[in-house]
Amino acid sequence: MATLAHDELIWVACPARVWRAARVLSTGDDVLSVEYEADDEVEEEGAEIPLHGKSAPKLLRRNAVLVGEGAMRYDNLTEVPELHEAAVLHALDARFRRAQIYTFTGPVLLAVNPFRSLPLYGPEQLRSFGRGGATSAAPHVYGIAARALEGICARYESQTVLISGESGAGKTETTKFVMQFLALASKPGEDRSKRHGGLSPVERQVLGSNPLLEAFGNAQTLRNDNSSRFGKYIELQFAKPAALGDDVPNPRMTGARIHTYLLEKVRVIRQQEGERSFHIFYQAIAAAQSQDSEMELEGFRGFGLDSFKYLNKQESPNEVEDFEATLAAMDAVGLSKTEVTQIFRTLAAILHLGNVTFESAGESSHVVEKGPSSPLALAAQLLGVDAQRLPTALTRRVRQTPEGSITSTLTAPKAANGRDALARHLYHAVFNYIVQRSNTTIGFQPNLSFCGVLDIFGFEFFQWNSLEQLCINYTNELLQQYFNEFIFQNETSLYEAEGIRWDAEDFPDNTTILELLHGKMEGVLPMLEEECFHVGGSSEAWCNKLVRLHERNKHFAYDKLKKGTFIIRHFAGPVTYHCTEFLEKNKDELSPDLVQCLKGSEEPFVRGLFEHLDRVFGVGQSPSDLADHAARRVEGSGLPKQRDMRTEP
């Protein structure tokens, strides 16, 4: 930075508050005297700042145009002179404090979660952005959706809206607003201002799928009461006006297809303190206890949250209302009453399985509970399987050899692992069934244009980070690479057109981080896959191999005092991962004995969940494969092409 003048306004880097606003009082050769501006936490104060050495903070000039109400004049931050990190953060904060949560930065819309309801999404806003109205240039999520719809209307080319951000940033709500706009704004005439009035069956089903996916795929985390614990990519399909007989230039929504990725099914059996399992469990328990619910919820009646070991004991005041909304969504996507009943019987069976305990007798184990009302008997009844066959499948393993079959008895811990694996797979199968039925009901025709909406996990870092967080953050690294190339390809094209010199090193690049994660042979994820095939392989051995191989990598670190952990320095910040159960989660094994047991169920619904196990669960696809598959779906659906740095699954 050039010499600073007296009274000049600057930003001073601060570990606690990122940047602090200050005014220069005087400058010397080694020290800068400043006066910090008052904020909500600290009163106005003076300080002396070193200009050299390790303790010297980074200094940036403050943008005079952003002082006071200046930030409100800039809906697009690329119009701000001398734009840098501190100016962006200041402008976003100043606009947020005045309920302006949307801001453009070039072609990208930045949104700050207000954590409260704002009058931004009513019929008036819909009309202002809708096709045929006076399309507003103000930053708004409807504006992004309107541009996507315009691409379909004007050129009939498929579009993609990419929604990304950290956990709790508001991605799920933003996805719903985009889908709502595309369903309502594409309606002819004045109908588009009437919210859900005049919706076609397909449009109603598409909007109705949202609360259903939230109930079965979302949960309360430490950062977000309604966090998506799966990724989804929704293709909203539009037919040409002539095909529908409309007299207006708007194509109507005529189909949709939902792709889901990386359901965090481990949450079914375990949650961190302060978090919850999936919403649907709590909704069903509350409805079963309510006198207002008329639905027969077998397996839930007479049981509360304290009855189930798989659930953390945290209630929400609106569970019954949310349950009714879930039932309405099930009806909207075409699930019959019989299917709904079977789904909730299976969910109840999962919870009762969690109460089954095992007792060791030497190297073998047996189920402790007995009797017609034991958790095991209830689970068997709800699943329609023989009450004698299920405990055998849980505690025994049959292996086929050339000489015949060999039966061995499992230890109590291994039997408990098998029980938990069955619970996870049951839930995953139910979730996939709901998605598949929704897709079948809504329908999707080949060779028609669509608008894809990607709502993927946000970057995550918790006190305890496991394989789920690694896969989530890996997917975000891939999406960040797409984002970088898209933004900076546009930027470099502009530089070249205007004859401006630029250096490729000026643009951020996370290719080396991705190489650490998925590089052939030596990447973190390929090494995990390899360890799973080793006889006697373990998560601890895998972690030790990572440390030996990558300890000099600038994106990798480890703490000698915390064994069994490693650190990845992601684009969004460092994350410490605990290697415990990495191999078990990546294998995600379900014993053939349990599969055969469930295939013999008297309930057609349960049999159907296991008849095509390879297709339902994607056996052979680890979570790391699915993270890569999620990014591949984005690549093939409207986002710019990039060089392929990923390992083939």
Side-chain angles (χ1 to χ4, degrees):
M1 176 179 287
T3 304
L4 296 170
H6 177 69
D7 276 344
E8 189 162 0
L9 302 179
I10 63 171
W11 292 104
V12 182
C14 173
R17 278 167 281 179
V18 187
W19 297 98
R20 293 190 66 182
R23 180 174 62 88
V24 176
L25 297 179
S26 62
T27 60
D29 294 334
D30 300 313
V31 175
L32 180 70
S33 180
V34 303
E35 181 181 63
Y36 286 116
E37 291 188 2
D39 56 28
D40 294 338
E41 301 176 8
V42 180
E43 294 182 359
E44 192 173 280
E45 58 178 324
E48 289 191 344
I49 299 172
L51 295 175
H52 308 289
K54 293 183 179 181
S55 60
K58 185 176 181 180
L59 306 176
L60 294 173
R61 297 184 191 278
R62 286 177 62 191
N63 306 71
V65 295
L66 296 179
V67 174
E69 297 290 324
M72 301 304 295
R73 297 194 296 269
Y74 290 94
D75 286 342
N76 194 325
L77 295 183
T78 58
E79 299 172 359
V80 176
E82 198 173 354
L83 187 65
H84 44 60
E85 177 188 337
V88 171
L89 294 176
H90 168 71
L92 293 178
D93 180 62
R95 292 172 64 84
F96 174 79
R97 291 171 183 267
R98 293 161 180 80
Q100 296 293 326
I101 65 170
Y102 293 119
T103 308
F104 278 123
T105 174
V108 178
L109 179 69
L110 303 178
V112 184
N113 193 340
F115 291 102
R116 65 186 189 277
S117 296
L118 294 175
L120 298 175
Y121 312 102
E124 182 178 346
Q125 285 81 7
L126 189 67
R127 281 194 298 271
S128 69
F129 287 95
R131 183 169 170 81
T135 303
S136 174
H140 196 288
V141 65
Y142 282 172
I144 296 295
R147 287 171 57 188
L149 184 61
E150 180 66 25
I152 295 174
C153 293
R155 302 180 300 278
Y156 203 64
E157 294 178 352
S158 293
Q159 309 288 314
T160 295
V161 178
L162 171 60
I163 301 168
S164 64
E166 288 189 357
S167 180
K171 298 181 298 300
T172 297
E173 291 300 311
T174 298
T175 299
K176 288 190 286 189
F177 289 134
V178 171
M179 293 174 63
Q180 179 189 84
F181 180 91
L182 293 173
L184 298 177
S186 63
K187 298 192 310 178
E190 293 301 317
D191 279 347
R192 65 173 178 265
S193 66
K194 298 178 181 178
R195 302 282 291 180
H196 294 261
L199 284 176
S200 70
V202 167
E203 291 163 344
R204 194 176 300 279
Q205 288 164 352
V206 168
L207 294 180
S209 67
N210 277 322
L212 183 57
L213 291 177
E214 284 190 24
F216 282 83
N218 288 22
Q220 176 182 312
T221 67
L222 296 175
R223 290 190 174 89
N224 187 354
D225 289 345
N226 188 34
S227 177
S228 296
R229 307 317 302 160
F230 71 106
K232 62 178 178 287
Y233 179 70
I234 304 174
E235 295 170 324
L236 305 172
Q237 193 175 51
F238 294 85
K240 292 183 178 179
L244 295 175
D246 290 345
D247 296 326
V248 294
N250 290 14
R252 294 292 299 273
M253 189 182 296
T254 188
R257 181 167 55 187
I258 304 168
H259 304 270
T260 61
Y261 309 103
L262 293 170
L263 176 70
E264 192 185 42
K265 54 187 177 181
V266 70
R267 182 169 292 271
V268 172
I269 66 169
R270 188 184 308 114
Q271 308 95 44
Q272 294 189 50
E273 185 177 353
E275 297 193 347
R276 302 204 316 174
S277 186
F278 295 102
H279 293 325
I280 191 62
F281 290 119
Y282 301 87
Q283 292 177 13
I285 291 172
Q289 294 175 332
S290 172
Q291 300 298 322
D292 298 330
S293 179
E294 299 179 359
M295 183 178 176
E296 178 60 36
L297 289 165
E298 185 179 356
F300 288 101
R301 297 278 183 195
F303 296 94
L305 290 178
D306 292 334
S307 304
F308 300 113
K309 295 180 181 178
Y310 276 164
L311 299 181
N312 279 355
K313 315 305 185 287
Q314 294 169 296
E315 300 182 48
S316 173
N318 301 316
E319 304 286 16
V320 176
E321 292 85 347
D322 292 341
F323 179 77
E324 295 301 322
T326 300
L327 291 182
M330 288 178 149
D331 180 66
V333 300
L335 289 169
S336 67
K337 291 184 178 180
T338 300
E339 288 175 300
V340 172
T341 298
Q342 289 299 321
I343 286 172
F344 283 104
R345 282 172 59 91
T346 306
L347 295 180
I350 291 170
L351 294 181
H352 288 291
L353 276 174
N355 291 344
V356 175
T357 57
F358 304 90
E359 189 174 86
S360 293
E363 293 298 317
S364 63
S365 67
H366 63 272
V367 178
V368 174
E369 296 87 352
K370 296 181 179 180
S373 60
S374 70
L376 182 66
L378 288 172
Q381 176 186 339
L382 292 164
L383 293 172
V385 298
D386 188 278
Q388 300 302 318
R389 188 177 180 184
L390 182 57
T392 300
L394 285 168
T395 57
R396 305 285 191 275
R397 285 294 177 271
V398 178
R399 293 178 175 84
Q400 299 297 327
T401 68
E403 292 76 22
S405 61
I406 299 176
T407 301
S408 59
T409 306
L410 302 178
T411 62
K414 288 186 177 180
N417 289 339
R419 172 205 63 199
D420 292 343
L422 177 59
R424 294 195 304 269
H425 280 293
L426 275 169
Y427 192 83
H428 192 194
V430 170
F431 181 82
N432 280 351
Y433 181 86
I434 289 171
V435 173
Q436 292 166 5
R437 284 287 284 111
S438 299
N439 285 339
T440 301
T441 300
I442 298 171
F444 190 86
Q445 304 175 47
N447 304 320
L448 291 181
S449 293
F450 63 86
C451 179
V453 183
L454 179 70
D455 175 17
I456 204 76
F457 293 99
F459 184 81
E460 290 191 349
F461 54 100
F462 298 118
Q463 185 174 357
W464 183 279
N465 300 287
S466 189
L467 178 61
E468 299 81 34
Q469 281 68 49
L470 180 61
C471 289
I472 288 168
N473 294 339
Y474 168 53
T475 305
N476 275 273
E477 290 282 2
L478 288 167
L479 295 177
Q480 182 67 24
Q481 187 178 54
Y482 283 112
F483 176 83
N484 288 347
E485 293 207 357
F486 172 70
I487 294 300
F488 298 120
Q489 280 175 359
N490 289 345
E491 195 72 10
T492 54
S493 297
L494 179 62
Y495 285 6
E496 290 172 354
E498 297 186 1
I500 301 174
R501 297 179 60 184
W502 57 279
D503 187 339
E505 294 183 359
D506 292 338
F507 300 104
D509 183 10
N510 64 339
T511 300
T512 52
I513 302 176
L514 284 170
E515 189 64 27
L516 167 65
L517 293 172
H518 65 209
K520 291 182 179 180
M521 303 300 294
E522 296 184 353
V524 172
L525 294 174
M527 287 179 65
L528 176 62
E529 295 287 322
E530 182 182 1
E531 189 70 22
C532 288
F533 288 104
H534 283 180
V535 176
S538 68
S539 298
E540 292 74 16
W542 167 70
C543 184
N544 291 335
K545 292 176 183 178
L546 288 180
V547 171
R548 288 197 300 270
L549 186 62
H550 295 297
E551 60 180 338
R552 298 184 183 278
N553 191 305
K554 64 180 181 180
H555 302 298
F556 185 91
Y558 68 98
D559 188 337
K560 294 181 180 180
L561 300 179
K562 296 181 179 179
K563 292 185 177 181
T565 67
F566 62 93
I567 301 169
I568 301 293
R569 296 189 176 100
H570 290 282
F571 78 92
V575 178
T576 300
Y577 296 97
H578 297 75
C579 74
T580 306
E581 296 185 347
F582 257 74
L583 256 66
E584 293 77 8
K585 290 178 178 180
N586 198 52
K587 292 178 181 178
D588 199 22
E589 294 177 326
L590 182 62
S591 78
D593 303 80
L594 286 170
V595 172
Q596 293 304 316
C597 179
L598 273 294
K599 283 184 177 180
S601 170
E602 296 178 354
E603 299 289 346
F605 177 80
V606 176
R607 284 202 309 273
L609 297 179
F610 287 83
E611 282 176 352
H612 306 287
L613 186 63
D614 289 354
R615 181 176 60 81
V616 172
F617 295 119
V619 171
Q621 282 190 312
S622 70
S624 53
D625 293 329
L626 292 176
D628 187 71
H629 184 210
R632 290 182 182 276
R633 284 298 310 172
V634 177
E635 181 181 16
S637 303
L639 286 181
K641 300 294 182 182
Q642 64 149 28
R643 59 186 183 277
D644 192 353
M645 297 294 294
R646 286 163 284 139
T647 305
E648 290 294 328

